[in-house]
Amino acid sequence: MTIAPLATAGADQPGDAMHHHPQAPQATGQAATDARSLVELPEPMRRHMLANMRDHLLALQQIQEALANDEFDEAAQIAEHRLGMSSLALHGAHEVAPYMPERMRQLGAGMHRAASRFAVTASDASVTGDLGAALAALARVTAQCVACHDDFRVQ
């Protein structure tokens, strides 16, 4: 089965993550050069950011599990409280933001906004049963993650 690239509908802004199609590194027999922009952070901030991203991955896994079990309200709660706009204080976003390049801040904010929109869509799906809409909204969340990880590396 071939999976088509995501459509651009629902992207936060023109040129945002939904338009971004990362390319797999080409096998050349030599180590591929990492062309992503390096973001250097003070060590405590780096550890904090990496821990947040690991928690984001865990939240995404828990959301997928909830959706698989038709637990739409649970998926919505996880999304809003762990990834959405309500999670910014939990993640210390204001402390980390000054160390991020502008594009990285935009992608991060786009991910948090997309997660809050997903939470609304998932809540709606608890009434409508529309799993497709919930999955499409979740894809817009992960598209922001993919775009950021494709553009930046933290050191």
Side-chain angles (χ1 to χ4, degrees):
M1 173 170 68
T2 303
I3 299 176
L6 294 173
T8 59
D12 284 292
Q13 300 172 8
D16 232 10
M18 296 300 288
H19 295 280
H20 202 260
H21 300 286
Q23 299 296 318
Q26 299 295 320
T28 62
Q30 299 177 1
T33 308
D34 192 342
R36 297 175 296 164
S37 297
L38 175 63
V39 178
E40 295 188 53
L41 300 170
E43 184 58 24
M45 197 65 60
R46 183 186 74 81
R47 284 192 312 267
H48 178 77
M49 181 183 282
L50 292 174
N52 281 340
M53 287 189 283
R54 286 190 301 273
D55 187 64
H56 292 351
L57 282 172
L58 178 59
L60 289 167
Q61 181 269 322
Q62 292 168 342
I63 289 166
Q64 291 169 1
E65 186 174 0
L67 291 176
N69 293 318
D70 293 331
E71 296 170 350
F72 300 109
D73 287 330
E74 177 69 14
Q77 289 294 318
I78 294 166
E80 185 55 43
H81 296 291
R82 302 262 297 285
L83 301 173
M85 296 303 289
S86 299
S87 74
L88 294 178
L90 171 70
H91 295 299
H94 295 290
E95 291 81 22
V96 177
Y99 295 96
M100 295 176 171
E102 180 60 27
R103 169 93 173 128
M104 187 182 220
R105 278 194 300 273
Q106 290 173 353
L107 289 167
M111 185 277 294
H112 293 296
R113 285 191 303 273
S116 288
R117 286 192 300 272
F118 164 79
V120 171
T121 303
S123 290
D124 290 348
S126 69
V127 175
T128 66
D130 190 355
L131 178 61
L135 291 173
L138 185 58
R140 288 189 285 277
V141 175
T142 59
Q144 296 289 324
C145 299
V146 169
C148 192
H149 283 268
D150 191 54
D151 285 354
F152 299 100
R153 62 188 170 104
V154 174
Q155 187 163 318

